[in-house]
Structure formats: C-alpha cells, structure tokens
Amino acid sequence: MTNTTEDPEHSSLTGLRTDGRDLVSEWRNLPAFDGLRAEYVWKKDDFDAADPESTDYLFGLFEHSHMQYETDRTNDVAGEPGLAEMVEKAILMLSKNDEGFFLFVEGGRIDHAHHDTLAYKALVDTLAFDDAVKTALEMTDTEDTLVIVTADHSHVNTINGNPKRGNPILGKTGDIALDDLPYTTIMYTNGPSGKEVMESFTNNGTRPNITDVDTEAPDYLQQALIPLQWETHGGEDVSLHADGPYSHLFQNIHEQNYIAHVIKYAACLGEYADACDSRVSAGAYQVYMFVSSNSVA
C-alpha cells in the first residue's frame, strides 16, 4: 500500500510505499489474469468465502506486518486463518492443475518467538505447523506427492536435564540450583531475557527468583545467559524428513542446495526435464515443501 492508503484493519496505520504504487490493485489487474478470477482478502471471513473451484489466484494480506502468533490469533480484530486452513485452501486450488504443482509453506512465527525467548509461543506455533503438515498428508497421496519437512536453521534454546517425571515442558525442573533458586526445563543461551538476568545479578547478585512465577504463561520469557536484543540462530545441523517419490534420496547429511535438486529431479524440471523419459514415472508429480523456520530442541 502507499503511505496514504489506510490499512483496512487498522485505521490508524497506512502503507509505507512513497512511489504511489498500489501493488494490490496492480496484482488484481495483471494481464496474465485476463479471463481468470483473482481474489484479494485481508480478513478471515473473506478468506473462508473464497471458493477454490471458482478462484484462480488468491492473495491474502492479513496484517500490517507479521501475522499473529497462534496463541493470539483468536484476538485478531478482523480474524486470521490458521496455517492448516491456508494449506487446505492452497491445495484445493492448486489441485485443479493436472500437471502438478509446487507448494512452499513456512511456519515463520516459530522463529520470531524464539528470537524473543518466548518458548510457549514457539511451541504452540510448532504444533500449528504440525497440523499443517498433517492436513497436507491427509489431502494428498505419497504415491505421487513428495512431501519435505525441514528447517533453515536451529535456535539456541536448550532443554535442561533431570526434570521430574511428568513435569510440564514449560515448567520448572523441580530441582534447586547451587544459587538456591529454581530453574526451568527450557532456557536460552542468549536473548532479550538475558537483560533481566544481568540486571538481577547487578542489583542482587543472583538470577531472578522465579519461585512464584508462572513459567507456563504464554508471555513468560525463559531466562537466558547472554543479554542480546534478539536471541540468535544456532549452528548445528537441522533434520529433514520426507515421504513420497524419491524421498529415499534424503539420507545422511546434505548441503541445503541439494534439496532443490531432488525436488527438480522428482518433478522432472529444469536440467532434469528429460528424467521422466528414462524411468518409470508415476505421472505428474505434485511436490510440496514445508519449511519450518527453525528446529525446536
């Protein structure tokens, strides 16, 4: 939107463009859409009303910036669809193409929650991502659909050992540290919550006392060792899980660019366009790639 265009959901906000271009209007009127139906939606009611059978292109912008965390989605002013709902709508629309298609899905707010050391919200968004993968698997057949689930990086959250049996993952371990204070099962090695820890050491000589703190609250910041404005990504390898045609090619450890080559090979695209001629093909493969923005320890 332009910097004079009012946000349809938040009347006090406008767009940021200063060149006068309205990309939403431009998108709806692209010549490529001649004779096709292109829909733009910004609230859940309109998203739900969009008919996959009669809609050829669907463009959704549901927030002025990032979409809500899954825990906060029900409080959104205009309503937002969940990740699984968007996956379902996308597959219903794309499945109309007999030649197959590629769908990329990212659970991006998992990453943001970790950067804020909000483990509760990171875990709930991970569950929403899991629901999205489940939806895709239920709507497709791995006989002709390659499904890939991976991450682009990890985070520096850690699981402390020795919590009591049955202890909530977001709860305290039940042990008392050498500083005579409790600690949580999940913590971070760095991040914004490290500022509170640093200030407590400076003023009191100890970590903050969380004895009476509800560490399972959605907005609780798990303690961190090093104070930073944002928690950082981790450096370890991340896992990749796949099912469907040529999923067996994902074994051992691979460079990230290898993933794209397997996708193209499975779908007979690019430099592998002639690959289907030299092997028994299951037909036009549909290739989905689900990418969570981080791995949760």
Side-chain angles (χ1 to χ4, degrees):
M1 296 186 297
T2 69
N3 57 359
T4 60
T5 304
E6 183 179 289
D7 187 286
E9 183 176 9
H10 306 285
S11 59
S12 61
L13 301 174
T14 63
L16 301 176
R17 299 191 67 92
T18 59
D19 58 5
R21 294 182 63 186
D22 184 341
L23 296 187
V24 172
S25 295
E26 289 184 26
W27 179 85
R28 292 169 116 170
N29 296 305
L30 284 174
F33 291 159
D34 185 31
L36 301 175
R37 181 181 176 188
E39 289 286 341
Y40 160 66
V41 295
W42 60 270
K43 57 183 178 180
K44 191 173 186 305
D45 286 347
D46 290 346
F47 172 84
D48 292 340
D51 183 5
E53 286 298 320
S54 58
T55 304
D56 298 296
Y57 296 91
L58 182 61
F59 180 25
L61 292 175
F62 302 103
E63 271 295 339
H64 190 263
S65 182
H66 300 296
M67 292 180 67
Q68 301 285 344
Y69 286 115
E70 181 66 18
T71 55
D72 304 327
R73 189 163 59 85
T74 56
N75 299 324
D76 186 73
V77 175
E80 293 181 359
L83 196 62
E85 294 175 286
M86 290 187 282
V87 166
E88 179 182 10
K89 186 82 73 173
I91 292 176
L92 289 173
M93 291 181 61
L94 295 171
S95 293
K96 295 183 294 184
N97 187 339
D98 294 334
E99 297 183 0
F101 55 86
F102 173 82
L103 174 62
F104 183 99
V105 179
E106 181 178 13
R109 299 240 65 189
I110 305 171
D111 175 73
H112 296 160
H114 279 310
H115 282 312
D116 286 333
T117 60
L118 289 165
Y120 182 103
K121 292 187 176 181
L123 291 176
V124 173
D125 266 67
T126 301
L127 293 175
F129 178 77
D130 185 67
D131 287 339
V133 175
K134 179 181 178 182
T135 296
L137 290 172
E138 290 175 344
M139 296 180 68
T140 59
D141 187 344
T142 52
E143 286 294 316
D144 63 3
T145 304
L146 173 61
V147 180
I148 304 169
V149 181
T150 187
D152 55 349
H153 55 74
S154 67
H155 279 268
V156 294
N157 63 320
T158 183
I159 297 179
N160 293 312
N162 298 326
K164 303 300 181 184
R165 182 178 295 276
N167 196 63
I169 188 65
L170 293 165
K172 306 175 187 73
T173 63
D175 289 336
I176 299 298
L178 294 179
D179 57 5
D180 294 325
L181 296 174
Y183 59 96
T184 54
T185 300
I186 292 182
M187 298 179 70
Y188 291 85
T189 61
N190 63 48
S193 55
K195 299 174 186 177
E196 181 186 6
V197 175
M198 178 183 66
E199 291 170 357
S200 181
F201 267 111
T202 300
N203 298 327
N204 307 312
T206 64
R207 293 182 297 120
N209 187 346
I210 58 173
T211 299
D212 299 320
V213 176
D214 180 8
T215 62
E216 298 178 60
D219 293 315
Y220 174 71
L221 303 180
Q222 272 67 24
Q223 291 181 356
L225 175 64
I226 300 172
L228 293 177
Q229 182 177 7
W230 311 112
E231 176 265 1
T232 67
H233 298 162
E236 64 267 50
D237 292 331
V238 297
S239 63
L240 183 150
H241 309 272
D243 198 0
Y246 301 99
S247 58
H248 66 280
L249 295 177
F250 293 114
Q251 303 291 336
N252 211 322
I253 297 174
H254 303 285
E255 293 290 341
Q256 59 186 14
N257 61 293
Y258 175 81
I259 301 172
H261 283 282
V262 175
I263 291 174
K264 289 194 292 183
Y265 182 76
C268 299
L269 298 173
E271 61 267 46
Y272 307 109
D274 297 328
C276 285
D277 296 335
S278 60
R279 68 188 189 222
V280 177
S281 174
Y285 290 134
Q286 304 173 55
V287 181
Y288 303 88
M289 184 176 182
F290 287 88
V291 178
S292 166
S293 68
N294 68 281
S295 60
V296 179

